[in-house]
Amino acid sequence: MSYAYFPGCSLRGTGRAYEESLLAIFQALEVDMQELPDWNCCGATTYMSYDELQSYALAGRNLAIAAKLKQDIVAPCAACYLVLNKTHHYVREYPHIRYAVDRALSAIGMEYAEHVRVLHPLEILLNDVGLAKLKAAVRNPLTKMRVAPYYGCQIVRPYATFDNQRNPVSMDKLLEACGAKVVYYPVKTVCCGGSQKGSLPEVGLDLIRHLLRTAYTNGANVIATACPLCQFNLEVFQKEAAWNDEPKLMPILYFTQLIGIALGLDRRKLGLHRAFVPVETLEKEFDTCLVERA
Amino acid sequence: MTDLRIGVYVCHCGTNIAATVDVLALSAYAAKLPGVVISREYKYLCSDPGQELIVQDIRELHLERVVVASCSPMLHEKTFRNVLARADLNPFFLQFVNIREHVSWVHEDKTAATQKAKDLVRAAVRRVRFHKPLEKRRVRINENVLVVGGGIAGIHAALTLADAKKHVYLVEREPTIGGHMAMFDKTFPTLDCAACILTPKMTSVGSHPYITLWTYSEVVQLEGYVGNYKAKIRHKPRYVIEDLCVGCQECVAACIFKEGKAPDEFNLGLSKRKPIYLPFPQAVPQKVLIDPEACIEFKTGKCKKTCVEACAERNAIDFKQTETFDEIEIGSIILATGFKTFDANRNAYYGYGRHSNVFTSLEIERLINASGPTGGELKTRDNRTPQSVGIIHCVGSRDHNTNRWCSKVCCMYSLKLAHLIKERTSAEVYCFYIDMRTPGKGYEEFYDRLLDEGVHFVRGRVAEVTDWAAHPSEVGKLVIRAEDTLAGFVRRIPVDMVVLSVGLEPQADAKEVTRLFNMSCSSEGWFLERHPKLAPVSTFTDGIFLAGACQGPKDIPDSVAQAGAAAAEAMALIDAGEVTLDPYTAHVLEDDCSGCKTCVPLCPYGAIGFDETKAKANINEVLCKGCGTCAAACPSGSIEQNFFEDEEIFAETEGVLLDV
């Protein structure tokens, strides 16, 4: 059954590499997914904190479109994933919110679609594709990689629909199936600070520092992320965070990029050229794990 | 039936009724109803003169039925039944109408309230004509008592009854009595050694002439009713003949296992024991037992059996022993089955089971106890003496994710542990609490003392226990992260050891036990008392009483008090010698019964039997509680219930609906 792909604004912006690698690996693993037509911004955290009711209506429109196509939504961006799930939860629980959202949607000839599921690529890979199929498709095992699997907070709090809230392991298992060594990462669900690096830098930078340092002390040489903002925060502020004594940079990649490398896909197709921490760092660390051919 | 002489009495109840219901109008209205020969209103009918008024009327006016319109029957139905009895009228010729809780106390509109009262009285007058002269039943009480559970509550109840020369059967599921209290090191607030105050009571039980102590045993079947219960007890095989074993433990020393390999249950798995063992040094009865899961002889049949050799003189070991059963007759039962602690694995945020130096409070009790796995030394799992210890309150209590209730004892035992840890190790101790609940005698004073001893208190619910270091001082430690709500910021406190103050929960099989004993428990599993304030030790099943933590979390003083109360109530039953039961029972009209058996499985009290020869159902009137389910379900209407017969119910219904 075909899924509706909801990129959200960030996957077309700073998170381009996430979209590229996701679409590439889903194609390679034969996951049937088409972009949701005429999708709109979900509101993410900003709009949700500004005007909750309108944000639910916005999110509701995307759900309604998916319902018309009889599809479930795959939302790779952690904020979109959370907002869509939150919309379901609040509309279901509060009649006055349901009323407002229904009214808003009926004005454009749509109705609230409470049965449309909101899924994450991690669960698609784990449940639909399965570890066995993934393992069989690996051409280029990530043997030199010691990965710290960083989930961030929005895909586990407050809704943990496909994995354990406190200690999720879906990303761990997928990366292990690709041949990587997954290190002990006790801060795997600790917040990266989100936009705090901009608004409250002393708080934001501190959180980033802890995440980088803990990965390093536990022996990681790359951090895998599942959220565009987490990826951005961990990647671009490393010098400022001064997280270690040596001038050493830690590559921060999307888990989809790592899976793509393991599947032997083209590096440009995986958006590896978009990394701020130079790809050469990766090559020096990991020998010949990057493959040129498609 | 209009020639029956009916008297109606309307009570003012001061202003409770009279302020809302026009009692004069009501009384005047009742006087005109068919069959009513006298209708009065009175300020306080339940008073002596009020009651006398009715007695006089019954005698002088030859009344045959009485209707009283006043307060709740729960309060005074019995009073006015007695009034009828005093005037030599069958007490069940009374119909009691509630025009207070059902009318004056719940309505404001006086006209409507008065009309409603009139409707209810009219209905009662129509109904009361059909009342039959019912008789209360008398049942004799067997003097023996069964106490289930040998913890401090069960022990105290058993001793109280036995000292009054009542015969007690004390049945305990574990191989020894003592319960949780035997596992504690010291008790709050006096810091008495738990074993020192418990073991004298345990040995009294073991040697009391009026107590039959059955350990390693369980009740498997119960039949009967108050005063006349029959219980079947299963004795699990110890593989040691109890009458011959003297507890010398030569067999344990001689066992081919040089070291224990099985987890020691009493020490919560913190140490190991051999397959043949004594549960703990002060066990009562002081008899060993064999664990067939760990014993080589049971597993392979090829053991040298050095234990048998060591017991050559008494020959107490018997590998062929099987379970045995006993059937006993008792009149009353006291359930004192205790509690279990919250399983700390269920709280993923505190790292129990993941980080090795996170312990539960009960584990710490065993560690600091002199007869525990480390001889009383507090050591981490990697054998260091902790320099800093964090105690987290409310684990599995006051928590919407696990248990909502407060477990009542944890604040006090946390303070006790804090004190003992400081005393033994001079470690820094941090207590993380939500509220400090110290309500008992000497409890607040104990808390004060701890404040003086330099224990650190952080008011804040701990968010997590983690092992990643944000600062060099945290490397190698467990970090407790909590908001200090009094100081107004988040703290990270690195410690060597974390103690989780786990809450109390009902035993895992609480629901099965309630089914076995035909009483109820709350949805959480705590056994249900008859009334939370006024009847905390009796249950809705006559003759079955509760004592201790099985009814709800409580400390030792309250458990002992409740056990004494349960024993007293059981004794009251026994001393009265007999009990009278209300006659609201159902009975089968044999001629009409078609033997369809619809009623048989419906009875929640198991009171309906089926006579195969006659092919008719029959109801045990002593077990019947008058719930009415069978009478309503019978397809041929062959079951009648006293006081709720069809005529009575229809008459009352008609009375409410029709306007005469």
Side-chain angles (χ1 to χ4, degrees):
Chain A
M1 95 106 168
S2 165
Y3 292 112
Y5 166 53
F6 181 73
C9 313
S10 54
L11 264 72
R12 289 285 151 84
T14 51
R16 282 293 291 137
Y18 195 3
E19 176 174 76
E20 288 166 335
S21 49
L22 175 70
L23 294 176
I25 63 169
F26 267 26
Q27 188 182 51
L29 294 167
E30 296 164 334
V31 176
D32 187 3
M33 192 170 76
Q34 285 108 44
E35 187 169 326
L36 187 72
D38 198 27
W39 57 268
N40 56 267
C41 171
C42 73
T45 38
T46 331
Y47 203 37
M48 186 62 85
S49 33
Y50 182 71
D51 191 326
E52 216 175 273
L53 217 47
Q54 294 202 31
S55 192
Y56 293 131
L58 271 181
R61 183 173 174 278
N62 293 310
L63 294 166
I65 298 173
K68 276 223 172 96
L69 301 166
K70 294 203 175 34
Q71 288 177 322
D72 287 327
I73 290 183
V74 174
C77 165
C80 300
Y81 177 81
L82 186 124
V83 166
L84 291 169
N85 271 308
K86 185 174 176 180
T87 303
H88 270 328
H89 172 200
Y90 277 64
V91 167
R92 199 179 305 136
E93 197 150 310
Y94 298 101
H96 69 276
I97 293 180
R98 181 185 279 270
Y99 176 72
V101 172
D102 266 336
R103 243 178 44 149
L105 290 174
S106 64
I108 50 166
M110 293 183 154
E111 57 176 12
Y112 185 73
E114 64 182 308
H115 296 297
V116 171
R117 292 191 303 158
V118 178
L119 306 165
H120 194 273
L122 283 170
E123 65 182 302
I124 305 290
L125 289 165
L126 203 63
N127 299 330
D128 285 15
V129 175
L131 293 172
K133 185 170 174 193
L134 176 62
K135 218 170 179 170
V138 168
R139 297 278 160 273
N140 188 14
L142 310 173
T143 27
K144 287 272 164 77
M145 295 200 184
R146 299 188 303 278
V147 190
Y150 179 53
Y151 294 76
C153 58
Q154 298 202 66
I155 58 174
V156 289
R157 287 194 293 283
Y159 309 108
T161 55
F162 63 91
D163 206 343
N164 186 284
Q165 192 168 65
R166 182 77 185 93
N167 184 22
V169 292
S170 43
M171 205 194 300
D172 303 41
K173 288 195 149 65
L174 292 169
L175 294 169
E176 276 170 352
C178 291
K181 172 156 188 329
V182 173
V183 304
Y184 176 57
Y185 199 46
V187 291
K188 58 166 63 160
T189 57
V190 171
C191 180
C192 70
S195 45
Q196 301 282 14
K197 175 65 187 64
S199 46
L200 223 62
E202 61 276 21
V203 170
L205 208 50
D206 226 20
L207 289 167
I208 293 168
R209 187 180 300 124
H210 290 320
L211 290 167
L212 291 167
R213 183 185 287 130
T214 311
Y216 182 64
T217 28
N218 285 322
N221 54 20
V222 60
I223 299 181
T225 62
C227 162
L229 194 49
C230 295
Q231 196 276 337
F232 181 77
N233 274 331
L234 290 178
E235 188 180 45
V236 309
F237 300 116
Q238 292 191 25
K239 285 207 177 114
E240 213 181 316
W243 59 278
N244 61 9
D245 305 314
E246 316 155 30
K248 197 181 171 90
L249 295 174
M250 169 91 70
I252 316 287
L253 296 178
Y254 291 102
F255 72 95
T256 42
Q257 290 178 302
L258 289 171
I259 294 175
I261 294 170
L263 294 178
L265 302 178
D266 187 297
R267 59 193 277 177
R268 282 203 76 85
K269 277 217 173 109
L270 298 174
L272 286 169
H273 55 289
R274 300 191 191 279
F276 275 73
V277 172
V279 170
E280 289 69 41
T281 316
L282 288 173
E283 286 178 318
K284 265 207 299 231
E285 277 296 307
F286 311 134
D287 285 349
T288 52
C289 63
L290 299 171
V291 182
E292 294 292 329
R293 65 178 195 284
Chain B
M1 281 256 218
T2 48
D3 52 349
L4 279 177
R5 302 170 67 74
I6 305 174
V8 178
Y9 299 87
V10 179
C11 186
H12 294 218
C13 193
T15 52
N16 275 306
I17 295 175
T20 313
V21 173
D22 184 345
V23 287
L24 295 170
L26 177 58
S27 180
Y29 172 77
K32 299 207 211 79
L33 293 171
V36 177
V37 303
I38 182 82
S39 173
R40 295 193 200 274
E41 35 74 34
Y42 194 74
K43 262 230 153 53
Y44 299 103
L45 264 179
C46 58
S47 64
D48 275 346
Q51 292 185 39
E52 262 317 295
L53 191 55
I54 302 179
V55 172
Q56 254 183 4
D57 276 356
I58 293 174
R59 289 195 179 129
E60 288 169 16
L61 302 172
H62 308 292
L63 296 181
E64 293 163 294
R65 299 284 188 273
V66 173
V67 171
V68 169
S70 60
C71 53
S72 164
M74 303 234 84
L75 206 45
H76 278 309
E77 189 175 54
K78 212 170 178 179
T79 313
F80 291 102
R81 289 245 166 92
N82 286 339
V83 164
L84 266 68
R86 280 211 308 276
D88 298 313
L89 194 57
N90 184 295
F92 294 92
F93 283 153
L94 167 75
Q95 177 61 358
F96 201 89
V97 186
N98 186 342
I99 56 169
R100 192 180 73 174
E101 282 86 338
H102 283 189
V103 184
S104 67
W105 275 2
V106 292
H107 297 304
E108 288 178 343
D109 180 337
K110 290 189 191 166
T111 324
T114 308
Q115 183 56 50
K116 180 173 173 179
K118 284 181 183 169
D119 295 339
L120 290 173
V121 168
R122 181 177 65 239
V125 167
R126 281 178 86 103
R127 185 198 211 277
V128 80
R129 289 188 213 125
F130 295 99
H131 282 201
K132 305 272 190 334
L134 303 170
E135 297 294 333
K136 282 198 165 198
R137 308 199 38 147
R138 286 196 155 95
V139 172
R140 289 217 54 81
I141 304 285
N142 180 310
E143 291 220 342
N144 300 335
V145 184
L146 169 63
V147 176
V148 183
I152 182 63
I155 288 172
H156 185 79
L159 285 172
T160 309
L161 285 161
D163 285 345
K165 299 210 168 84
K166 309 292 177 227
H167 195 93
V168 179
Y169 294 94
L170 178 52
V171 175
E172 164 58 53
R173 172 202 319 223
E174 296 297 316
T176 166
I177 53 175
H180 278 97
M181 189 175 167
M183 297 167 91
F184 301 158
D185 182 35
K186 303 277 198 292
T187 54
F188 55 77
T190 50
L191 296 175
D192 274 307
C193 154
C196 305
I197 56 177
L198 179 62
T199 46
K201 284 176 102 97
M202 284 167 63
T203 45
S204 285
V205 166
S207 59
H208 205 294
Y210 280 87
I211 300 181
T212 301
L213 175 61
W214 282 333
T215 54
Y216 216 38
S217 305
E218 286 180 310
V219 177
V220 291
Q221 203 182 67
L222 184 72
E223 313 180 312
Y225 48 90
V226 57
N228 301 272
Y229 286 109
K230 268 205 189 61
K232 189 169 181 187
I233 319 284
R234 177 170 77 104
H235 307 294
K236 298 183 275 194
R238 282 177 186 257
Y239 306 107
V240 170
I241 302 169
E242 270 192 43
D243 290 337
L244 296 177
C245 175
V246 296
C248 69
Q249 297 176 71
E250 296 284 330
C251 52
V252 181
C255 177
I256 60 159
F257 277 83
K258 281 301 137 226
E259 272 180 0
K261 288 281 188 300
D264 183 334
E265 293 90 345
F266 192 73
N267 282 332
L268 301 165
L270 293 167
S271 63
K272 305 263 192 273
R273 57 152 175 81
K274 300 189 186 183
I276 187 166
Y277 65 105
L278 192 67
F280 63 94
Q282 304 97 330
V284 169
Q286 183 89 176
K287 318 247 175 229
V288 296
L289 69 154
I290 301 180
D291 170 10
E293 300 289 311
C295 172
I296 299 284
E297 176 62 13
F298 278 101
K299 289 186 122 65
T300 65
K302 294 202 181 76
C303 183
K304 268 177 22 193
K305 298 194 272 256
T306 40
C307 54
V308 177
E309 277 175 44
C311 192
E313 261 186 51
R314 273 170 282 273
N315 230 336
I317 298 185
D318 176 11
F319 288 101
K320 300 270 183 300
Q321 200 179 68
T322 51
E323 60 183 20
T324 56
F325 294 88
D326 261 307
E327 288 199 15
I328 56 173
E329 288 181 6
I330 58 248
S332 43
I333 301 169
I334 298 180
L335 297 177
T337 50
F339 65 91
K340 77 171 183 345
T341 50
F342 172 75
D343 177 7
N345 284 296
R346 288 172 61 191
N347 188 321
Y349 290 87
Y350 295 160
Y352 183 75
R354 261 191 307 129
H355 303 306
S356 59
N357 288 323
V358 177
F359 295 84
T360 62
S361 47
L362 207 49
E363 287 173 337
I364 299 294
E365 293 271 359
R366 293 315 305 146
L367 285 177
I368 58 177
N369 186 238
S371 70
T374 56
E377 297 223 10
L378 188 65
K379 291 258 192 266
T380 61
R381 279 190 226 264
D382 39 335
N383 217 13
R384 297 174 288 133
T385 304
Q387 306 285 305
S388 48
V389 179
I391 302 178
I392 303 180
H393 291 219
C394 305
V395 178
S397 303
R398 305 187 67 185
D399 183 357
H400 281 222
N401 294 318
T402 51
N403 298 327
R404 292 194 179 203
W405 61 81
C406 166
S407 293
K408 209 168 178 191
V409 303
C410 326
C411 276
M412 278 310 293
Y413 82 54
S414 302
L415 291 175
K416 172 193 74 175
L417 289 177
H419 167 83
L420 293 171
I421 292 171
K422 260 199 109 60
E423 196 181 59
R424 308 281 172 91
T425 64
S426 68
E428 289 300 328
V429 178
Y430 303 88
C431 276
F432 299 85
Y433 66 99
I434 305 175
D435 292 290
M436 198 52 82
R437 297 190 159 174
T438 56
K441 196 164 175 179
Y443 289 12
E444 181 67 19
E445 295 89 327
F446 189 72
Y447 176 37
D448 270 344
R449 174 180 171 179
L450 267 286
L451 290 168
D452 284 336
E453 284 176 10
V455 172
H456 307 284
F457 288 95
V458 175
R459 181 182 179 274
R461 186 158 213 168
V462 171
E464 65 169 353
V465 172
T466 183
D467 62 351
W468 60 274
H471 189 268
S473 66
E474 295 180 3
V475 176
K477 304 259 189 191
L478 285 173
V479 178
I480 299 180
R481 203 155 62 89
E483 181 189 354
D484 183 334
T485 55
L486 296 177
F489 54 85
V490 174
R491 286 190 192 272
R492 288 177 64 97
I493 300 187
V495 293
D496 291 319
M497 181 188 263
V498 173
V499 180
L500 302 179
S501 296
V502 286
L504 273 48
E505 285 182 338
Q507 294 272 21
D509 63 348
K511 297 214 158 73
E512 280 84 63
V513 171
T514 54
R515 259 177 255 137
L516 176 64
F517 288 92
N518 205 10
M519 27 78 76
S520 12
C521 60
S522 67
S523 58
E524 300 144 347
W526 301 112
F527 291 165
L528 207 57
E529 64 288 306
R530 191 177 274 249
H531 190 280
K533 284 196 173 335
L534 300 178
V537 299
S538 48
T539 61
F540 285 104
T541 307
D542 295 328
I544 301 192
F545 304 95
L546 304 172
C550 60
Q551 183 254 349
K554 55 178 68 69
D555 53 21
I556 294 166
D558 285 348
S559 298
V560 171
Q562 201 182 35
E569 295 205 8
M571 249 190 283
L573 255 189
I574 297 169
D575 278 0
E578 63 175 25
V579 76
T580 46
L581 305 176
D582 274 330
Y584 302 137
T585 53
H587 50 271
V588 176
L589 302 170
E590 235 185 58
D591 290 338
D592 298 347
C593 174
S594 65
C596 73
K597 292 193 191 170
T598 303
C599 56
V600 179
L602 291 175
C603 179
Y605 305 97
I608 308 184
F610 194 77
D611 185 330
E612 296 290 347
T613 1
K614 285 196 202 162
K616 307 265 181 200
N618 52 58
I619 296 175
N620 179 336
E621 296 208 330
V622 188
L623 282 177
C624 174
K625 290 262 175 210
C627 71
T629 308
C630 57
C634 176
S636 51
S638 330
I639 299 185
E640 247 180 18
Q641 183 170 347
N642 290 343
F643 208 72
F644 293 97
E645 295 176 12
D646 288 354
E647 311 174 296
E648 289 166 317
I649 297 178
F650 285 140
E652 192 169 6
T653 317
E654 282 167 6
V656 169
L657 297 173
L658 298 172
D659 218 321
V660 174

